[in-house]
Amino acid sequence: MKKILLILAAIALALSLPKNAYAADKDATSGALKVDGIYLTDENNEKIQLKGVSTHGLAWFPDYVNNSMFKELHDKWGANVVRLAMYSAEYNGYCTGDSANRTQLKKLIKRGVKYASDNDMYVIIDWHILSDSNPLTYKKSAKSFFKWAAKSFKDYDNVIYEICNEPNGNTTWSDIKKYADYVIPTIRSYTDAVILVGTPTWSQDVDTISGDLLDYDNIMYTMHFYAATHKSTYRKKMLSALKAGVPVFVSEFGLSESSGNGSVSTSQANKWANLMDKYNVSYVCWSLSNKNESSALIKSTVTKTSGLKRSNLTKAGKWIFDKLNQSDT
Ligand code: IDC
């Protein structure tokens, strides 16, 4: 009897404790996402803005994919999304490395998804095309990779699929649509999760596709910018896309020049953030690494892969750390 009373008292106490929605809610975040008009919405159909950071190439900087790092991204930085960038071509890319490398990359992605889920964040699985310019180049590998991913993560409500980072070169919107129509039905046979689609010219031409969007639900189109290079002309492109009804997601931006290095512009980054916040556009900052380049968020002299202090961060790192901290996500 005494035991039962103690248990009842413990339950009553647990129920009366104040709940910190994020810390206490072990179900990923705000549940399954949907796209409604230009907005991303959560399981309660409320607008939601995702803000967080992207890894550098997973094969190149794998060590930041660890539970302590992801925990502090959520608890200390204030991120609600993390992007796992897996190059298809460069740096032991998925399509250029051997099969042991592919196995390794898949393991890293599984761990990344688990750490993100355990720490209440959304997670983007990014097929990071770059030097391979056209997503049709490796379309077969992409399809089988996304089949594996969608099957593995079909029961997770916090996974987002980004099917082509940055089409470039001569790649047209019609090439990208062809690729999307090749890959998306495979993903859709397992999950209705949000899918991000890159746009021509390194995902900058989001303003050129309105009136010619894909014919699936829960799709967003990506706009990427590097603040020290891409200024008001590019903000106008984003604004015009939004006004034309294109759901835009900034799945990658940097504070540096578009090379990933050179000067860093916090003033341009602030202008971008004001615009993105105004329209609830989600954004993800490149990159969670200590590479000796100004887009990296961690100083190159800092070799630890968790337990980071603000002083361990670069100018870009401090900016995004403060930005995430200020927001209520
Ligand atoms: C950069 C990395 C850099 C690497 C280079 C080539 O920061 O270390 O040497 O790629 O692989 C993008 C790409 C992203 C780039 C980044 C900066 O999506 O892969 O990373 N950038 O150049 N688009 C615009 C800029």
Side-chain angles (χ1 to χ4, degrees), residues 56 60 83 87 90-91 128-130 165-166 202 224 226 252 257-260 286-287 291 293 295:
H56 196 289
W60 196 1
R83 178 184 191 234
Y87 280 93
E90 295 96 313
Y91 310 113
H128 202 84
I129 68 161
L130 193 60
N165 168 48
E166 292 184 355
W202 295 283
H224 289 179
Y226 278 72
E252 183 186 305
E257 295 168 22
S258 59
S259 63
W286 182 266
S287 75
K291 191 173 177 195
E293 60 181 10
S295 59

Side-chain angles (χ1 to χ4, degrees), residues 139-203:
K139 66 172 184 178
K140 285 198 175 139
S141 304
K143 190 179 187 146
S144 66
F145 170 77
F146 280 111
K147 181 176 181 167
W148 165 81
K151 199 172 170 185
S152 307
F153 307 123
K154 66 177 166 29
D155 296 328
Y156 287 69
D157 61 5
N158 62 327
V159 175
I160 297 170
Y161 300 89
E162 182 171 5
I163 62 172
C164 51
N165 168 48
E166 292 184 355
N168 60 78
N170 298 324
T171 309
T172 60
W173 178 236
S174 128
D175 292 333
I176 300 168
K177 283 184 82 181
K178 215 161 144 191
Y179 167 76
D181 284 332
Y182 182 74
V183 168
I184 291 177
T186 305
I187 300 177
R188 281 288 175 261
S189 66
Y190 296 101
T191 169
D192 287 331
V194 169
I195 295 175
L196 308 179
V197 181
T199 54
T201 325
W202 295 283
S203 292

